[in-house]
Amino acid sequence: MESLFERCSKVMSGVSGRATKLGVVNAEGSYLYTEDGRKILDFASGVAVNNIGAKHPEVVAAIKEEADRMIHVGHNVVYYESYVALAEKLVAMTGGDTKVYFSNSGAEANEGALKLAKYVTKRPAVIAFRNSFHGRTIGCVSITGSNAAYRKYYEPLLPAVYWAEYNNLTQFDEIFAKMVAPEMVAAIIVEPVQGEGGYILPEEGFLQGLRKICDAHGIMLIFDEIQTGIGRTGELYAYQTFGVKPDILTSAKALGGGIPLSAIIARKELMDAWPAGAHGGTFGGNPLACAAGLKTLEIIERDHLLEQCKRMGAYFVEGLKGLQEKYDMVRNVRGVGLMDAMEIVTAEGLPDAQMCARIKEKALEKDLLLLTCGSDHNVVRFIAPLTVCKEEIDACLSILNEVIGELEVLHGNVTNVYGSKQN
Ligand SMILES: Cc1ncc(COP(=O)(O)O)c(C=O)c1O
């Protein structure tokens, strides 16, 4: 019988790429079940979507209940409970001084955030960061600096986008003096932890510094929390982890409990200055998505998943550091909550994309699903669900230990460059 991969290749565009050839027939908690009978430990979580584990039974029940009431009624036609209740919950969970606008994808939320910043400031320019990833629409590609492939043949893109180095505050005097006057800048958009760019953490004071710069010049600070949001860093949003509040934040991925849903969450005064007609869309805040999102937030609170995320994240990073001590090819283990990563390097300490891909491949042969990231394609990222337990983390570490050990021996035999550290 043909596999799903084989059937798919005949009828689907391959444009978005796919990390594996797995055909999945069921997904539950931390596991995927494949058409050929495998049970895979999933540390990709559908790329940071299944934060409370796949197919949580209470989310399934909430979707079914909502579907019995309504599937689509149109947020720009009528009002409905799940939509309003989720917005109320998000406002309460982001300090009570915000308002919300729902759309469907991360890119769509970022588009809306840029439009909001431009609308309220009446300024044209945006500052984005090298290594960033904000999505695939033309607007989002224009502010994405992590891979030339995302931009190739799509230029000209949005004008008035200026680039800054992540984790560098001193550059702004020069940017404002030589490239763009600060009073022309509508927004600085930043991922509080760079995701696709390599799980790069903000240095002490960086986000605070951005806040000060924005305050000094009336610039909107936008946090793209599409990957960092919904508990990933140990608080609902990373701005709470790092103690810096943006003017506008965007949330997606895990927000809808697996159903497409995104949100722009912004200071109330900004939302109040964005009048009817200035933005919109048909599907944003679909009833099924809002019901699933509401249940997801309830579960995160009730089951203390933020605490669990911090605890399990610390345990995981500790284990990864053990691998770093043992193997020369592992460097720069880092993480916040369950947004964790390690770099793979050559004997000369240079990014080793090939070896990183081999680790991912061999881990999957042993039924562990991992993703990679980084502008140099040499970062293994770990996106376990917040519900992950010690046994699952131990299983992941043990597979990694085997895989890296085998690769080091293999590589050592071929080129004789690696030697395991003695410890
Ligand atoms: C930080 C960040 N922003 C934006 C996006 C785009 O989200 P979507 O794929 O839902 O459009 C992603 C997706 O990976 C992301 O990680």
Side-chain angles (χ1 to χ4, degrees):
M1 211 172 64
E2 274 189 314
S3 67
L4 285 165
F5 160 71
E6 286 159 339
R7 282 169 53 206
C8 192
S9 310
K10 288 182 193 161
V11 291
M12 273 299 295
S13 158
V15 70
S16 80
R18 215 164 256 113
T20 76
K21 291 182 179 174
L22 295 178
V24 170
V25 292
N26 189 17
E28 216 172 301
S30 305
Y31 296 94
L32 301 176
Y33 298 85
T34 68
E35 58 190 337
D36 52 354
R38 293 169 65 191
K39 179 181 176 184
I40 311 277
L41 181 58
D42 178 11
F43 276 21
S45 296
V47 199
V49 170
N50 293 326
N51 282 11
I52 57 166
K55 204 181 71 179
H56 194 291
E58 289 174 68
V59 172
V60 175
I63 294 169
K64 284 182 177 165
E65 270 173 41
E66 187 69 5
D68 280 339
R69 281 187 288 267
M70 64 190 90
I71 293 178
H72 174 82
V73 284
H75 74 93
N76 36 21
V77 183
V78 296
Y79 298 88
Y80 46 96
E81 175 63 26
S82 57
Y83 186 86
V84 177
L86 181 59
E88 285 170 346
K89 185 93 185 150
L90 286 170
V91 166
M93 292 176 97
T94 53
D97 56 352
T98 52
K99 278 191 171 181
V100 178
Y101 178 78
F102 292 127
S103 43
N104 305 285
S105 68
E108 205 185 342
N110 282 339
E111 290 281 335
L114 291 180
K115 287 169 73 179
L116 171 59
K118 286 186 179 222
Y119 198 98
V120 295
T121 61
K122 315 222 169 5
R123 299 175 180 184
V126 174
I127 296 178
F129 289 88
R130 291 181 201 282
N131 265 324
S132 59
F133 183 82
H134 295 294
R136 301 299 201 132
T137 54
I138 289 285
C140 290
V141 161
S142 306
I143 51 168
T144 286
S146 53
N147 192 335
Y150 301 156
R151 306 163 63 88
K152 189 176 173 185
Y153 300 134
Y154 301 135
E155 287 171 302
L157 297 168
L158 276 191
V161 173
Y162 296 86
W163 295 98
E165 292 288 338
Y166 185 76
N167 274 336
N168 177 345
L169 287 171
T170 56
Q171 67 193 322
F172 282 93
D173 286 343
E174 194 189 358
I175 289 173
F176 292 149
K178 298 189 181 166
M179 287 190 277
V180 59
E183 61 271 20
M184 299 303 283
V185 179
I188 296 179
I189 182 163
V190 66
E191 296 157 84
V193 179
Q194 286 195 321
E196 185 85 9
Y199 274 30
I200 302 169
L201 299 177
E203 283 170 11
E204 187 87 31
F206 174 61
L207 297 172
Q208 286 80 354
L210 291 183
R211 181 67 275 172
K212 275 194 192 136
I213 290 166
C214 288
D215 288 344
H217 299 290
I219 297 170
M220 296 297 110
L221 180 60
I222 305 176
F223 278 4
D224 174 341
E225 293 242 25
I226 284 156
Q227 191 152 166
T228 53
I230 316 300
R232 179 68 30 211
T233 68
E235 300 294 339
L236 186 69
Y237 288 109
Y239 89 78
Q240 293 154 331
T241 299
F242 297 110
V244 177
K245 197 160 182 183
D247 300 291
I248 303 170
L249 84 77
T250 53
S251 185
K253 287 193 183 282
L255 175 65
I259 309 272
L261 178 67
S262 63
I264 304 166
I265 304 173
R267 278 197 287 121
K268 190 172 174 309
E269 313 86 79
L270 302 178
M271 287 300 206
D272 287 342
W274 209 21
H279 190 54
T282 300
F283 279 114
N286 169 269
L288 304 186
C290 288
L294 200 53
K295 187 53 76 179
T296 299
L297 295 178
E298 270 174 43
I299 291 167
I300 288 175
E301 279 186 318
R302 184 200 66 201
D303 295 352
H304 308 290
L305 293 182
L306 299 178
E307 290 72 27
Q308 179 160 346
C309 171
K310 282 183 254 196
R311 221 175 36 250
M312 288 298 110
Y315 180 71
F316 199 0
V317 167
E318 191 71 19
L320 292 173
K321 286 198 169 144
L323 295 176
Q324 175 172 319
E325 270 173 37
K326 194 165 169 193
Y327 298 113
D328 283 343
M329 70 168 83
V330 177
R331 290 270 172 90
N332 294 328
V333 163
R334 55 186 173 249
V336 53
L338 284 163
M339 193 166 183
D340 306 321
M342 64 185 188
E343 283 180 29
I344 304 301
V345 297
T346 63
E348 293 77 33
L350 299 171
D352 195 341
Q354 230 178 342
M355 185 59 77
C356 187
R358 290 285 289 134
I359 291 172
K360 189 186 89 172
E361 217 174 87
K362 283 186 77 75
L364 189 55
E365 283 169 19
K366 295 177 191 286
D367 296 335
L368 168 65
L369 176 57
L370 300 173
L371 295 179
T372 57
C373 63
S375 298
D376 295 317
H377 312 287
N378 74 317
V379 180
V380 182
R381 60 172 149 170
F382 303 94
I383 329 175
L386 314 184
T387 47
V388 73
C389 62
K390 262 188 169 175
E391 291 68 30
E392 289 163 345
I393 290 175
D394 288 342
C396 168
L397 291 168
S398 152
I399 292 172
L400 278 175
N401 185 37
E402 272 176 47
V403 163
I404 299 172
E406 284 165 22
L407 283 170
E408 205 166 66
V409 169
L410 201 67
H411 202 73
N413 284 347
V414 177
T415 64
N416 204 25
V417 288
Y418 287 117
S420 290
K421 282 182 195 166
Q422 305 300 310
N423 63 320

mmCIF file of all heavy atoms in Angstrom, residues 47 104-108 110 133-136 140 191 193 195-196 224-228 250 252-253 381, ligand 1:
data_model
loop_
_atom_site.group_PDB
_atom_site.id
_atom_site.type_symbol
_atom_site.label_atom_id
_atom_site.label_comp_id
_atom_site.label_asym_id
_atom_site.label_seq_id
_atom_site.Cartn_x
_atom_site.Cartn_y
_atom_site.Cartn_z
ATOM 1 N N VAL A 47 5.180 21.936 15.960
ATOM 2 C CA VAL A 47 5.864 23.233 16.025
ATOM 3 C C VAL A 47 5.174 24.165 17.039
ATOM 4 O O VAL A 47 4.569 25.187 16.686
ATOM 5 C CB VAL A 47 6.021 23.928 14.650
ATOM 6 C CG1 VAL A 47 7.120 24.991 14.742
ATOM 7 C CG2 VAL A 47 6.368 22.946 13.544
ATOM 8 N N ASN A 104 -6.370 34.234 12.308
ATOM 9 C CA ASN A 104 -6.248 32.771 12.161
ATOM 10 C C ASN A 104 -4.840 32.214 12.282
ATOM 11 O O ASN A 104 -4.656 31.103 12.754
ATOM 12 C CB ASN A 104 -6.798 32.360 10.791
ATOM 13 C CG ASN A 104 -8.215 32.855 10.610
ATOM 14 O OD1 ASN A 104 -9.141 32.303 11.189
ATOM 15 N ND2 ASN A 104 -8.372 33.910 9.841
ATOM 16 N N SER A 105 -3.848 32.958 11.804
ATOM 17 C CA SER A 105 -2.478 32.429 11.795
ATOM 18 C C SER A 105 -1.539 33.449 12.423
ATOM 19 O O SER A 105 -1.905 34.627 12.603
ATOM 20 C CB SER A 105 -2.025 32.175 10.364
ATOM 21 O OG SER A 105 -1.893 33.418 9.692
ATOM 22 N N GLY A 106 -0.332 32.986 12.691
ATOM 23 C CA GLY A 106 0.675 33.873 13.253
ATOM 24 C C GLY A 106 0.986 35.022 12.307
ATOM 25 O O GLY A 106 1.034 36.188 12.711
ATOM 26 N N ALA A 107 1.172 34.680 11.042
ATOM 27 C CA ALA A 107 1.507 35.718 10.060
ATOM 28 C C ALA A 107 0.403 36.767 9.996
ATOM 29 O O ALA A 107 0.669 37.971 9.937
ATOM 30 C CB ALA A 107 1.719 35.082 8.688
ATOM 31 N N GLU A 108 -0.835 36.293 10.048
ATOM 32 C CA GLU A 108 -1.962 37.229 9.957
ATOM 33 C C GLU A 108 -1.986 38.180 11.165
ATOM 34 O O GLU A 108 -2.290 39.369 11.038
ATOM 35 C CB GLU A 108 -3.267 36.424 9.883
ATOM 36 C CG GLU A 108 -4.389 37.152 9.208
ATOM 37 C CD GLU A 108 -5.701 36.375 9.248
ATOM 38 O OE1 GLU A 108 -5.690 35.145 9.491
ATOM 39 O OE2 GLU A 108 -6.743 37.000 9.042
ATOM 40 N N ASN A 110 0.675 39.093 12.890
ATOM 41 C CA ASN A 110 1.779 40.042 12.723
ATOM 42 C C ASN A 110 1.450 41.126 11.702
ATOM 43 O O ASN A 110 1.809 42.290 11.887
ATOM 44 C CB ASN A 110 3.062 39.304 12.321
ATOM 45 C CG ASN A 110 3.721 38.625 13.511
ATOM 46 O OD1 ASN A 110 3.478 39.005 14.658
ATOM 47 N ND2 ASN A 110 4.546 37.634 13.250
ATOM 48 N N PHE A 133 12.098 35.499 12.522
ATOM 49 C CA PHE A 133 11.088 34.851 11.684
ATOM 50 C C PHE A 133 9.715 35.336 12.126
ATOM 51 O O PHE A 133 9.359 35.222 13.304
ATOM 52 C CB PHE A 133 11.144 33.323 11.783
ATOM 53 C CG PHE A 133 10.140 32.666 10.864
ATOM 54 C CD1 PHE A 133 10.425 32.489 9.517
ATOM 55 C CD2 PHE A 133 8.897 32.265 11.328
ATOM 56 C CE1 PHE A 133 9.493 31.922 8.647
ATOM 57 C CE2 PHE A 133 7.955 31.701 10.475
ATOM 58 C CZ PHE A 133 8.267 31.520 9.123
ATOM 59 N N HIS A 134 8.958 35.888 11.169
ATOM 60 C CA HIS A 134 7.641 36.413 11.540
ATOM 61 C C HIS A 134 6.519 35.866 10.672
ATOM 62 O O HIS A 134 5.362 36.240 10.867
ATOM 63 C CB HIS A 134 7.652 37.941 11.477
ATOM 64 C CG HIS A 134 8.577 38.577 12.480
ATOM 65 N ND1 HIS A 134 8.376 38.504 13.844
ATOM 66 C CD2 HIS A 134 9.731 39.267 12.320
ATOM 67 C CE1 HIS A 134 9.344 39.147 14.474
ATOM 68 N NE2 HIS A 134 10.188 39.615 13.584
ATOM 69 N N GLY A 135 6.831 34.994 9.707
ATOM 70 C CA GLY A 135 5.752 34.413 8.906
ATOM 71 C C GLY A 135 5.984 34.589 7.420
ATOM 72 O O GLY A 135 6.989 35.165 6.992
ATOM 73 N N ARG A 136 5.013 34.108 6.630
ATOM 74 C CA ARG A 136 5.251 33.933 5.191
ATOM 75 C C ARG A 136 4.490 34.886 4.282
ATOM 76 O O ARG A 136 4.608 34.772 3.063
ATOM 77 C CB ARG A 136 4.868 32.503 4.812
ATOM 78 C CG ARG A 136 5.623 31.431 5.549
ATOM 79 C CD ARG A 136 7.106 31.505 5.305
ATOM 80 N NE ARG A 136 7.714 30.221 5.600
ATOM 81 C CZ ARG A 136 8.570 29.592 4.787
ATOM 82 N NH1 ARG A 136 8.958 30.149 3.673
ATOM 83 N NH2 ARG A 136 9.055 28.420 5.127
ATOM 84 N N CYS A 140 5.123 39.923 6.355
ATOM 85 C CA CYS A 140 5.934 39.211 7.356
ATOM 86 C C CYS A 140 7.291 38.807 6.789
ATOM 87 O O CYS A 140 8.301 38.873 7.496
ATOM 88 C CB CYS A 140 5.180 37.988 7.883
ATOM 89 S SG CYS A 140 3.784 38.466 8.915
ATOM 90 N N GLU A 191 11.036 39.053 18.392
ATOM 91 C CA GLU A 191 10.666 37.835 19.117
ATOM 92 C C GLU A 191 11.432 37.890 20.441
ATOM 93 O O GLU A 191 12.661 37.952 20.419
ATOM 94 C CB GLU A 191 11.127 36.591 18.355
ATOM 95 C CG GLU A 191 10.498 36.381 17.009
ATOM 96 C CD GLU A 191 11.382 35.505 16.126
ATOM 97 O OE1 GLU A 191 11.311 34.275 16.222
ATOM 98 O OE2 GLU A 191 12.170 36.071 15.338
ATOM 99 N N VAL A 193 12.290 35.659 22.491
ATOM 100 C CA VAL A 193 13.333 34.649 22.287
ATOM 101 C C VAL A 193 13.270 34.335 20.791
ATOM 102 O O VAL A 193 12.203 33.968 20.299
ATOM 103 C CB VAL A 193 13.057 33.345 23.072
ATOM 104 C CG1 VAL A 193 14.155 32.312 22.809
ATOM 105 C CG2 VAL A 193 12.913 33.624 24.561
ATOM 106 N N GLY A 195 13.087 32.367 17.635
ATOM 107 C CA GLY A 195 12.710 30.963 17.466
ATOM 108 C C GLY A 195 13.440 30.309 16.307
ATOM 109 O O GLY A 195 14.505 29.720 16.466
ATOM 110 N N GLU A 196 12.844 30.437 15.136
ATOM 111 C CA GLU A 196 13.434 29.899 13.904
ATOM 112 C C GLU A 196 14.921 30.277 13.765
ATOM 113 O O GLU A 196 15.730 29.503 13.276
ATOM 114 C CB GLU A 196 12.620 30.494 12.747
ATOM 115 C CG GLU A 196 12.961 30.013 11.382
ATOM 116 C CD GLU A 196 12.257 28.725 11.011
ATOM 117 O OE1 GLU A 196 11.359 28.295 11.760
ATOM 118 O OE2 GLU A 196 12.639 28.153 9.978
ATOM 119 N N ASP A 224 6.554 39.549 19.069
ATOM 120 C CA ASP A 224 5.990 38.402 18.357
ATOM 121 C C ASP A 224 6.124 37.208 19.296
ATOM 122 O O ASP A 224 7.202 36.657 19.474
ATOM 123 C CB ASP A 224 6.758 38.188 17.049
ATOM 124 C CG ASP A 224 6.315 36.924 16.314
ATOM 125 O OD1 ASP A 224 5.705 36.041 16.940
ATOM 126 O OD2 ASP A 224 6.611 36.817 15.106
ATOM 127 N N GLU A 225 5.013 36.858 19.932
ATOM 128 C CA GLU A 225 5.004 35.768 20.927
ATOM 129 C C GLU A 225 4.334 34.521 20.348
ATOM 130 O O GLU A 225 3.705 33.740 21.071
ATOM 131 C CB GLU A 225 4.280 36.227 22.192
ATOM 132 C CG GLU A 225 5.021 37.319 22.945
ATOM 133 C CD GLU A 225 5.433 36.887 24.341
ATOM 134 O OE1 GLU A 225 5.599 35.674 24.594
ATOM 135 O OE2 GLU A 225 5.574 37.783 25.192
ATOM 136 N N ILE A 226 4.445 34.382 19.041
ATOM 137 C CA ILE A 226 3.745 33.281 18.389
ATOM 138 C C ILE A 226 4.333 31.939 18.805
ATOM 139 O O ILE A 226 3.596 30.978 19.039
ATOM 140 C CB ILE A 226 3.740 33.546 16.864
ATOM 141 C CG1 ILE A 226 2.696 34.637 16.613
ATOM 142 C CG2 ILE A 226 3.451 32.289 16.056
ATOM 143 C CD1 ILE A 226 2.889 35.437 15.383
ATOM 144 N N GLN A 227 5.641 31.900 18.951
ATOM 145 C CA GLN A 227 6.271 30.652 19.418
ATOM 146 C C GLN A 227 6.485 30.655 20.935
ATOM 147 O O GLN A 227 6.397 29.624 21.585
ATOM 148 C CB GLN A 227 7.604 30.425 18.691
ATOM 149 C CG GLN A 227 8.169 29.059 18.922
ATOM 150 C CD GLN A 227 9.052 28.535 17.792
ATOM 151 O OE1 GLN A 227 9.752 27.585 17.984
ATOM 152 N NE2 GLN A 227 9.031 29.110 16.622
ATOM 153 N N THR A 228 6.759 31.843 21.507
ATOM 154 C CA THR A 228 7.076 31.910 22.947
ATOM 155 C C THR A 228 5.823 31.893 23.825
ATOM 156 O O THR A 228 5.936 31.673 25.032
ATOM 157 C CB THR A 228 7.859 33.206 23.268
ATOM 158 O OG1 THR A 228 7.124 34.324 22.746
ATOM 159 C CG2 THR A 228 9.242 33.201 22.656
ATOM 160 N N THR A 250 1.675 39.572 19.685
ATOM 161 C CA THR A 250 0.948 38.654 18.815
ATOM 162 C C THR A 250 1.096 37.236 19.348
ATOM 163 O O THR A 250 2.159 36.848 19.842
ATOM 164 C CB THR A 250 1.458 38.729 17.363
ATOM 165 O OG1 THR A 250 2.869 38.536 17.347
ATOM 166 C CG2 THR A 250 1.101 40.054 16.729
ATOM 167 N N ALA A 252 -0.283 33.013 18.665
ATOM 168 C CA ALA A 252 -0.931 32.079 17.722
ATOM 169 C C ALA A 252 -0.563 30.662 18.170
ATOM 170 O O ALA A 252 -0.600 30.369 19.366
ATOM 171 C CB ALA A 252 -0.505 32.360 16.290
ATOM 172 N N LYS A 253 -0.209 29.807 17.232
ATOM 173 C CA LYS A 253 0.219 28.434 17.517
ATOM 174 C C LYS A 253 -0.626 27.761 18.604
ATOM 175 O O LYS A 253 -1.711 27.303 18.324
ATOM 176 C CB LYS A 253 1.707 28.423 17.855
ATOM 177 C CG LYS A 253 2.584 28.653 16.604
ATOM 178 C CD LYS A 253 4.018 28.344 16.874
ATOM 179 C CE LYS A 253 4.938 28.626 15.694
ATOM 180 N NZ LYS A 253 4.896 27.609 14.646
ATOM 181 N N ARG A 381 16.351 21.904 18.365
ATOM 182 C CA ARG A 381 15.447 22.549 19.333
ATOM 183 C C ARG A 381 14.501 21.510 19.912
ATOM 184 O O ARG A 381 14.102 20.554 19.229
ATOM 185 C CB ARG A 381 14.681 23.707 18.706
ATOM 186 C CG ARG A 381 13.804 23.352 17.537
ATOM 187 C CD ARG A 381 12.954 24.529 17.107
ATOM 188 N NE ARG A 381 12.667 24.509 15.684
ATOM 189 C CZ ARG A 381 11.802 25.313 15.088
ATOM 190 N NH1 ARG A 381 11.140 26.207 15.784
ATOM 191 N NH2 ARG A 381 11.583 25.234 13.787
HETATM 192 C C1 LIG B 1 7.929 33.662 15.974
HETATM 193 C C2 LIG B 1 6.985 33.311 14.867
HETATM 194 N N1 LIG B 1 6.277 34.278 14.271
HETATM 195 C C3 LIG B 1 5.407 34.013 13.294
HETATM 196 C C4 LIG B 1 5.208 32.721 12.848
HETATM 197 C C5 LIG B 1 4.224 32.464 11.737
HETATM 198 O O1 LIG B 1 3.113 31.818 12.213
HETATM 199 P P1 LIG B 1 2.123 31.063 11.177
HETATM 200 O O2 LIG B 1 2.921 29.954 10.587
HETATM 201 O O3 LIG B 1 0.985 30.605 12.015
HETATM 202 O O4 LIG B 1 1.733 32.082 10.165
HETATM 203 C C6 LIG B 1 5.923 31.678 13.430
HETATM 204 C C7 LIG B 1 5.764 30.283 12.953
HETATM 205 O O5 LIG B 1 6.629 29.455 13.053
HETATM 206 C C8 LIG B 1 6.843 31.972 14.466
HETATM 207 O O6 LIG B 1 7.562 31.007 15.058
#
